[in-house]
C-alpha cells in the first residue's frame, strides 16, 4: 500500500526552524530533530506503485509485481520510525492523538472517497453482479474500518492465485495492515522508551532499537513458519508483515546503515534496483510468499533507501529523483487506491473490452484520477484549518463520522438490492427444480432438441450466476487443509450401487448434479474434493505447504479408497494444474502418468473410472460481458480458451475400464466458445460451471455411469 508519510512539503522537511514556526502549539513536534527530504525514497514509491499497477493490469507480464506492496512497507517503517524517534528524542514522548490525527487527515480523505465510489457502484446491478453484493458490502465495511486484511485472512482468500471473485476493495488489505502499524508501532516505541528511562539510565534510543529489533526478528520467524503452514492467511496477517516495517525502521535508527560512501552507495543502490527487477519478473503466484522469499524485495528496497550518496547523476539516488519518478511517487497513494476498482468495474461497462487499447486507456484514466485526487482531495484536506487548528480529537471524531457515512452507503447498497438478491435466490431454486425443455446442453447433444432457439434467454441471469454453486462447502477442503474429508449422499440401501466423485474444484462443481443423480437412480455417492489438487499421483510443481498438503490429501484418499466398497469412480480436474516434471520429459507427460497411476489402484480391483475433458477457461468471468452485451458479443476464441492437450484425454486413451466424456462441442464451435448454450448460462466465474448448466449434462453423466455399472454387475 503506497503510504503517504509526508505531512508537509519537501521544503518544510528541509528546514526544521520553518517547521517549528508553522506548528500550532498543540501539534506534536515530530520533526524536532534536523531532517531532510529524500527524493530517492519518493522515487522508490514510484517503482513500488508501478510494480503493483502493472501486475494487476498484466499479471502474466510482471508476475512478481505484487512485491510493490512489500516495498511500501519498508518505506513506511523507515519514515514513520524516523519521525517518531525525532519526537521522542526532542520531547521524551509521542503525542499519540496528534500523530493519529495527522495520519487520518493524510490518508482517510482519498481512501474514503474511493470506498464511497465503490459503495455507489455496488448499488448498480449493471456494474456489480447481484450475486456478489453481500461480499462486496462486507468488504467495503471491513476496509472502511481497516480490518480488510483480517477479513481476507479469516475467509481463506488466496491473493496471489486469484481464487474466488475479488471485490473492488480487496486491495485495501494493505492499507488496513498499514493503519494497524500506525497504531501499534508508536505504542511499542513509547513502551520501550519508558523502560529505557526507568531501568536503563535513560537509554531511550537504545531501548527503542532493541525493542523494534526483537519485534522484527520475531515477526520474520513467525512469517516464515506461518507461510509454510498457512500461506494464504499469512499474506494478510499483521504480525507476519511487521518485520518489513522493522527493516525500514533499522535504517532510520542506525546511522551506519545510511551509507554515504560513494562507491558502496552506488553498488548498494543499483544492487537493490536489480533485486527488485529480478523478483518482479521472476516471482509469481507459485512463489511461497511472504515467507523467507519476501526477504529479497524487502532488503532490495532497504538497500535503495540506505544508499544515500547523491554525488553523480548516474547514481540511483539521482535517477530516482528525476521529475517523472517524483510525480508518480507523489500520486502513488491515490494511484494505488483507484487502479484496482477500475480494473474490476471496467469489464462491466457497456462497450468496454479487454483489448490492449482498452487497458492502456484505463491505465491512463487511473493516472488522471490519481492526480485529481491528490490535487483536490489529499492536499487540501491535509491542511484544512477547520481541523488543523483544533485539538486532535476533532479530527479523530470527524474521521469516525466520515467512516460511518461510508459504511452507511455500503449498507444502503445492500438495502436497495436486497429484494432483488432474495428474488434471485428463489428464481434460481425454481430454475433448478423446473428447467425449460431442451435447455442447455440438450440443444447440442439431444437430436430431438436440435434447432431449439431460446432467443435472448440467459438462465441464471448474468448478475446472479455467481451464487449458482454447490452448497456442501464442508465437503470441499482448500489451501493447506490435507484432511481427506469424505461426504456421503444418496441411497443408504446395502445393495445400492456405490459411486465415488473425486477431484479438485472442477469435480466439486458437479456435486449438486451428482447428488440429484444419486437420489434419482438409487446410488450411494461418496465424495473427496480438494481445491487445485486433482486425483493424480504426480506431485504439483507448487512449492511449500500447499504442494505438500495436496500430496498428503492424496495419500489419505488413497488409503480410504483401499478400504472403500465402490462400483464406479468419476473424476474431473482443471487442465491447467501445474505438475512437477521431475523424472519426465515434460509436466504434461508427468500429469498423464500420474492420472494413470492413480486410476490403476481402483482399476486393478475391477472398479471402472469415468472422467471428462475439462471445460474452457476464460481470462475473466464472462458474466461481466453478459450483463451489458448480447451473448454473441461475449464469445471467445477457442484457441485461447480451450486447453487442447488436456492430460485427462491422453491418460484415458486406450486404457481398459476408463470411459472418457468429451463435451467440447457443447462449449465450443470450430472457432469460438460461448458462455451461453441453449439459454443456459454456463459459467459462474471464469472457469467453473453453474449448477444449472451442469444439471443439463446430467443425462449423459448418468448414461456413462450406468454403462460402467452394468459392465461390472455380476
Amino acid at each position: 500500500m503506497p503510504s503517504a508519510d509526508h505531512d508537509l512539503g519537501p521544503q518544510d522537511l528541509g528546514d526544521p526552524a520553518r517547521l517549528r514556526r508553522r506548528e500550532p502549539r498543540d501539534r506534536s513536534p515530530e520533526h524536532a530533530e534536523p531532517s531532510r527530504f529524500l527524493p530517492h525514497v519518493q522515487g522508490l514509491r514510484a517503482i513500488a506503485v508501478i510494480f503493483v499497477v502493472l501486475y494487476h493490469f498484466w499479471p502474466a507480464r510482471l508476475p512478481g509485481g505484487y512485491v510493490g506492496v512489500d516495498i511500501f512497507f519498508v518505506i513506511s517503517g523507515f519514515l514513520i520510525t524516523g519521525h517518531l524517534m525525532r519526537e521522542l528524542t526532542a520531547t521524551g514522548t509521542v503525542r499519540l492523538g496528534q500523530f493519529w490525527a495527522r495520519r487520518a487527515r493524510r490518508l482517510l480523505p482519498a481512501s474514503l472517497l474511493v470506498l464511497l465510489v465503490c459503495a455507489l457502484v455496488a448499488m448498480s446491478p449493471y456494474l456489480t453482479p447481484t450475486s456478489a453484493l453481500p461480499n462486496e458490502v462486507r468488504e467495503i465495511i471491513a476496509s472502511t474500518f481497516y480490518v480488510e486484511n483480517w477479513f481476507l485472512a479469516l475467509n481463506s482468500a488466496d491473493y496471489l492465485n486469484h481464487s474466488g471473485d475479488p471485490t473492488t476493495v480487496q486491495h485495501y488489505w494493505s492499507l488496513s495492515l498499514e493503519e494497524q502499524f500506525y497504531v501499534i508501532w508508536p505504542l511499542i516505541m513509547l513502551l520501550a522508551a519508558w523502560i529505557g528511562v526507568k531501568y536503563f539510565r535513560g537509554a531511550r534510543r537504545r531501548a527503542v532499537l532493541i525493542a523494534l529489533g526483537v519485534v522484527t526478528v520475531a515477526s520474520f520467524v513467525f512469517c516464515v513458519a506461518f507461510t509454510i503452514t498457512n500461506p494464504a492467511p499469512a499474506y494478510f496477517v499483521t504480525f507476519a508483515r511487521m518485520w518489513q516495517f522493522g527493516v525500514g525502521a533499522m535504517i532510520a535508527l542506525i546511522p551506519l546503515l545510511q551509507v554515504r560512501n560513494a562507491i558502496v552507495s552506488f553498488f548498494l543502490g543499483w544492487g537493490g534496483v536489480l533485486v527488485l527487477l529480478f523478483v518482479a519478473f521472476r516471482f509469481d503466484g507459485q512463489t511461497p510468499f511472504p515467507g523467507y522469499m519476501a526477504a529479497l524485495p524487502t532488503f532490495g528496497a532497504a538497500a535503495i533507501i540506505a544508499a544515500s550518496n547523491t554525488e553523480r547523476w548516474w547514481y540511483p539516488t539521482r535517477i530516482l529523483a528525476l521529475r517523472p519518478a517524483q510525480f508518480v511517487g507523489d500520486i502513488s497513494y491515490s494511484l494505488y487506491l483507484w487502479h484496482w476498482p477500475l480494473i474490476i468495474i471496467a469489464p462491466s461497462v457497456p462497450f468496454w473490452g479487454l483489448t490492449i487499447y482498452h487497458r492502456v486507456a484505463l491505465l491512463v484514466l487511473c493516472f488522471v484520477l490519481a492526480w485529481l485526487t491528490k490535487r483536490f482531495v489529499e492536499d487540501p484536506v491535509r491542511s484544512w484549518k477547520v481541523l488543523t487548528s483544533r485539538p486532535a480529537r476533532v479530527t479523530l471524531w470527524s474521521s469516525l463520522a466520515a467512516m460511518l457515512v461510508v459504511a452507511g452507503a455500503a449498507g444502503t447498497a445492500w438495502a436497495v438490492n436486497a429484494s432483488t438478491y432474495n428474488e434471485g435466490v428463489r428464481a434460481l431454486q425454481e430454475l433448478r427444480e423446473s428447467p425449460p425443455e431442451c435447455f442447455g446442453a440438450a440443444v447440442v447433444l439431444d437430436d430431438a432438441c436440435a434447432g431449439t432457439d431460446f432467443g435472448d434467454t440467459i438462465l441464471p441471469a448474468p448478475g446472479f450466476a455467481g451464487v449458482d454453486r454447490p452448497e456442501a462447502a464442508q465437503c470441499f477442503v482448500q489451501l493447506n487443509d490435507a484432511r481427506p474429508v469424505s461426504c456421503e449422499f444418496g441411497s443408504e440401501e446395502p445393495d445400492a450401487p456405490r459411486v465415488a466423485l473425486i477431484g479438485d474444484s472442477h469435480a466439486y462443481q458437479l456435486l449438486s448434479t451428482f447428488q440429484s443423480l444419486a437420489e434419482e437412480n438409487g446410488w450411494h455417492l461418496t465424495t473427496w474434493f480438494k481445491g487445485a489438487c486433482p486425483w493424480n499421483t504426480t506431485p504439483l510443481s507448487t512449492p511449500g505447504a500447499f504442494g505438500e498438503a495436496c500430496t498428503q490429501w492424496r495419500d489419505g484418499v488413497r488409503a480410504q479408497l483401499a478400504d472403500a466398497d465402490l462400483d464406479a469412480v468419476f473424476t474431473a480436474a482443471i487442465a491447467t494444474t501445474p505438475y512437477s516434471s521431475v523424472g519426465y520429459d515434460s509436466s504434461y507427460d508427468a500429469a498423464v502418468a500420474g492420472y494413470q497411476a492413480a486410476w490403476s489402484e481402483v482399476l486393478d480391483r475391477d472398479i471402472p473410472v469415468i472422467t471428462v475433458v475439462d471445460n474452457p477457461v476464460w481470462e475473466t468471468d464472462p458474466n461481466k460481458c453478459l450483463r451489458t452485451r448480447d451473448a454473441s458479443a461475449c464469445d471467445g476464441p477457442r484457441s485461447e480458451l480451450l486447453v487442447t492437450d488436456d492430460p485427462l484425454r491422453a491418460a484415458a486413451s486406450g486404457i481398459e475400464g476408463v470411459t472418457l466424456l468429451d463435451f467440447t462441442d457443447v462449449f465450443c464451435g470450430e472457432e469460438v466458445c460461448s458462455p451461453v448454450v441453449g439459454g443456459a448460462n454456463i459459467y459462474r466465474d471464469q472457469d467453473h460451471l453453474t449448477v444449472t448448466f451442469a444439471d443439463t449434462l446430467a443425462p449423459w453423466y448418468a448414461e456413462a455411469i450406468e454403462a460402467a455399472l452394468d459392465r461390472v454387475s455380476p
Side-chain angles (χ1 to χ4, degrees):
M1 195 282 307
S3 60
D5 298 310
H6 293 299
D7 291 314
L8 299 173
Q11 73 280 4
D12 301 304
L13 293 178
D15 186 353
R18 182 177 180 180
L19 175 65
R20 286 192 293 272
R21 288 196 300 272
R22 289 183 54 163
E23 277 185 347
R25 289 163 61 184
D26 66 339
R27 291 192 63 187
S28 169
E30 67 174 30
H31 302 286
E33 284 189 1
S35 176
R36 61 191 181 90
F37 177 66
L38 299 176
H40 74 284
V41 175
Q42 194 75 339
L44 182 58
R45 273 201 182 101
I47 292 177
V49 77
I50 290 297
F51 275 7
V52 174
V53 170
L54 293 183
Y55 166 67
H56 285 151
F57 269 89
W58 292 283
R61 301 294 178 87
L62 198 71
Y66 55 83
V67 301
V69 173
D70 304 78
I71 299 171
F72 284 123
F73 291 160
V74 179
I75 294 173
S76 291
F78 170 72
L79 293 174
I80 289 298
T81 304
H83 293 173
L84 293 171
M85 195 66 240
R86 285 189 287 275
E87 182 177 356
L88 267 173
T89 301
T91 68
T93 188
V94 172
R95 296 184 183 178
L96 293 175
Q98 292 297 334
F99 174 75
W100 290 330
R102 281 195 303 276
R103 295 296 90 216
R105 289 195 296 270
R106 183 63 185 91
L107 301 175
L108 261 63
S111 172
L112 295 181
L113 171 65
V114 175
L115 287 173
L116 182 60
V117 170
C118 291
L120 295 175
V121 167
M123 293 184 191
S124 169
Y126 295 101
L127 297 178
T128 300
T130 307
S131 60
L133 186 61
N135 204 43
E136 186 79 26
V137 169
R138 283 192 291 265
E139 290 199 30
I140 290 174
I141 294 174
S143 299
T144 300
F145 294 101
Y146 298 108
V147 292
E148 171 71 352
N149 63 315
W150 288 104
F151 179 90
L152 294 176
L154 295 173
N155 284 277
S156 299
D158 191 350
Y159 183 79
L160 298 184
N161 287 298
H162 313 288
S163 66
D165 191 11
T167 66
T168 57
V169 298
Q170 181 171 289
H171 64 314
Y172 269 72
W173 75 268
S174 59
L175 177 58
S176 298
L177 194 152
E178 188 142 354
E179 291 297 332
Q180 293 158 29
F181 160 74
Y182 292 143
V183 173
I184 296 170
W185 212 247
L187 294 176
I188 295 174
M189 293 181 67
L190 273 175
L191 177 61
W194 177 80
I195 293 174
V197 170
K198 188 170 181 65
Y199 298 104
F200 298 101
R201 300 179 182 179
R204 183 183 293 115
R205 190 182 194 95
R206 183 182 303 171
V208 169
L209 179 61
I210 292 172
L212 296 186
V214 170
V215 169
T216 300
V217 172
S219 172
F220 179 72
V221 172
F222 174 81
C223 177
V224 172
F226 200 49
T227 300
I228 292 172
T229 58
N230 294 279
Y235 196 85
F236 306 106
V237 168
T238 305
F239 195 63
R241 296 292 194 151
M242 282 292 110
W243 67 276
Q244 296 179 298
F245 296 96
V247 169
M250 294 301 105
I251 301 173
L253 295 176
I254 303 174
L256 287 177
L257 295 181
Q258 299 174 29
V259 180
R260 307 290 183 182
N261 180 274
I263 295 177
V264 177
S265 182
F266 172 83
F267 284 104
L268 193 64
W270 282 120
V273 171
L274 291 176
V275 167
L276 294 183
L277 289 174
F278 172 82
V279 298
F281 283 99
R282 296 303 299 271
F283 281 18
D284 57 24
Q286 304 304 317
T287 303
F289 205 87
Y292 64 90
M293 297 299 285
L296 279 177
T298 299
F299 286 105
I304 295 171
I305 295 173
S308 303
N309 193 287
T310 60
E311 289 182 6
R312 301 289 187 270
W313 68 266
W314 58 82
Y315 284 18
T317 47
R318 294 283 292 274
I319 299 296
L320 291 175
L322 294 176
R323 184 55 197 157
Q326 295 297 291
F327 171 75
V328 176
D330 288 344
I331 66 169
S332 61
Y333 179 57
S334 289
L335 181 58
Y336 181 86
L337 291 175
W338 280 114
H339 83 282
W340 181 252
L342 294 182
I343 289 173
I344 296 298
I345 295 167
S348 299
V349 176
F351 310 113
W352 194 272
L354 291 172
T355 67
I356 183 65
Y357 304 105
H358 288 106
R359 295 187 187 217
V360 171
L362 193 64
L363 182 61
V364 172
L365 179 60
C366 291
F367 275 86
V368 172
L369 281 176
W371 177 81
L372 290 173
T373 304
K374 175 72 165 59
R375 175 70 176 80
F376 296 106
V377 178
E378 286 189 57
D379 291 344
V381 176
R382 185 175 55 186
S383 56
W384 201 11
K385 288 187 177 181
V386 71
L387 296 177
T388 58
S389 62
R390 287 173 170 79
R393 63 178 178 272
V394 175
T395 294
L396 297 176
W397 282 111
S398 299
S399 299
L400 179 59
M403 293 162 73
L404 291 173
V405 168
V406 173
T412 301
W414 168 250
V416 168
N417 292 282
S419 60
T420 303
Y421 181 87
N422 293 329
E423 181 182 336
V425 171
R426 291 191 296 270
L428 184 58
Q429 186 62 36
E430 293 173 2
L431 175 63
R432 291 185 186 177
E433 294 174 355
S434 303
E437 292 291 331
C438 291
F439 183 58
V443 170
V444 178
L445 299 176
D446 189 341
D447 292 338
C449 295
T452 303
D453 185 6
F454 282 86
D456 296 330
T457 299
I458 302 178
L459 298 173
F464 217 78
V467 297
D468 193 8
R469 64 182 68 211
E471 297 174 355
Q474 74 278 5
C475 302
F476 183 56
V477 299
Q478 302 185 67
L479 303 173
N480 293 344
D481 190 344
R483 296 172 301 137
V485 174
S486 63
C487 291
E488 310 286 333
F489 305 95
S491 175
E492 295 296 334
E493 295 297 325
D495 59 347
R498 307 184 75 82
V499 178
L501 178 59
I502 312 174
D504 60 11
S505 62
H506 280 214
Y508 175 68
Q509 70 185 356
L510 306 178
L511 175 57
S512 293
T513 302
F514 273 60
Q515 284 179 261
S516 299
L517 288 175
E519 293 169 1
E520 293 169 4
N521 294 279
W523 306 335
H524 181 86
L525 177 66
T526 305
T527 66
W528 287 276
F529 305 114
K530 178 168 173 56
C533 184
W535 182 35
N536 191 302
T537 61
T538 301
L540 302 182
S541 62
T542 310
F546 179 82
E548 179 61 26
C550 180
T551 299
Q552 293 176 8
W553 177 83
R554 290 169 172 174
D555 291 341
V557 171
R558 181 183 301 115
Q560 292 188 17
L561 282 174
D563 296 330
D565 180 15
L566 297 173
D567 296 300
V569 175
F570 193 104
T571 187
I574 189 169
T576 55
T577 301
Y579 292 94
S580 171
S581 60
V582 176
Y584 297 91
D585 293 336
S586 66
S587 60
Y588 173 79
D589 292 336
V592 171
Y595 282 124
Q596 292 177 340
W599 300 346
S600 68
E601 296 178 9
V602 295
L603 291 173
D604 290 345
R605 295 162 54 196
D606 294 323
I607 301 171
V609 173
I610 306 98
T611 189
V612 59
V613 174
D614 194 27
N615 53 263
V617 174
W618 297 65
E619 182 179 9
T620 188
D621 184 353
N623 287 288
K624 294 180 179 180
C625 175
L626 292 172
R627 290 203 304 273
T628 57
R629 301 170 180 83
D630 292 337
S632 59
C634 299
D635 292 344
R638 175 174 173 144
S639 59
E640 296 180 8
L641 305 181
L642 197 65
V643 177
T644 54
D645 295 326
D646 186 342
L648 275 170
R649 188 196 305 272
S653 179
I655 304 295
E656 185 177 355
V658 177
T659 300
L660 178 68
L661 301 178
D662 189 349
F663 299 121
T664 300
D665 290 342
V666 176
F667 300 109
C668 304
E670 292 185 2
E671 301 293 335
V672 299
C673 300
S674 302
V676 179
V677 170
N681 192 341
I682 298 177
Y683 301 96
R684 58 178 164 89
D685 55 29
Q686 63 265 34
D687 65 286
H688 293 102
L689 305 180
T690 60
V691 171
T692 297
F693 182 78
D695 284 348
T696 71
L697 291 167
W700 291 272
Y701 293 137
E703 181 181 11
I705 293 172
E706 289 289 0
L709 293 173
D710 288 342
R711 289 199 299 271
V712 297
S713 297

